Amino acid sequence: MASNPILFTTLLLLLSNVFMTFAWYAHLKELGTKPLIIAIVVSWGIAFFEYCLQVPANRLGNTVLTVGQLKMLQEVLSLAVFVPFSIYYLKEPLKLDYLWAALCLLGAVFFVFRSKFA
């Protein structure tokens, strides 16, 4: 898999987004009645693993992608992780706005990556 840096970068970014989404939002459900400092410390602990994946992903990805392309990939994966998380874990309703946001991101992906595939 390391022979395909874009695929490996995408996988690392996807996994890092899972950790970061839990670090940022799981405390709302799991630790909602606990003191804020507990939520912060738990979130930092989870975020450590996100950084263990994010930093190598960006280093590897930067060998074949621009920083702008890496950031756009990160944002697309972030939404791809956040929407199912919010629906299934936080029990938030699915909103049409998620579709519109995804379409806007697809437009952004087109513009950021079009020179790579021209």
Side-chain angles (χ1 to χ4, degrees):
M1 187 179 301
S3 64
N4 188 338
I6 293 176
L7 182 62
F8 195 59
T9 296
T10 302
L11 178 63
L12 288 173
L13 288 174
L14 182 67
L15 293 172
S16 77
N17 268 286
V18 170
F19 280 105
M20 202 54 165
T21 300
F22 271 91
W24 284 2
Y25 301 107
H27 65 88
L28 297 173
K29 180 179 178 181
E30 300 300 329
L31 303 172
T33 60
K34 301 286 186 202
L36 181 59
I37 190 67
I38 303 248
I40 291 170
V41 170
V42 169
S43 292
W44 275 354
I46 296 168
F48 169 78
F49 296 102
E50 184 269 343
Y51 277 88
C52 288
L53 297 167
Q54 179 81 18
V55 171
N58 285 331
R59 286 198 174 197
L60 176 63
N62 196 42
T63 64
V64 291
L65 300 170
T66 67
V67 174
Q69 290 169 335
L70 274 170
K71 183 59 180 170
M72 188 53 56
L73 179 58
Q74 158 67 26
E75 293 303 326
V76 169
L77 292 171
S78 179
L79 188 61
V81 168
F82 175 76
V83 170
F85 175 85
S86 68
I87 293 167
Y88 295 112
Y89 188 80
L90 295 177
K91 306 297 185 208
E92 293 283 325
L94 179 61
K95 296 181 180 177
L96 196 55
D97 290 342
Y98 293 145
L99 173 63
W100 304 133
L103 290 173
C104 288
L105 278 175
L106 285 177
V109 166
F110 169 76
F111 287 112
V112 170
F113 283 91
R114 72 179 167 161
S115 64
K116 183 149 189 78
F117 300 108

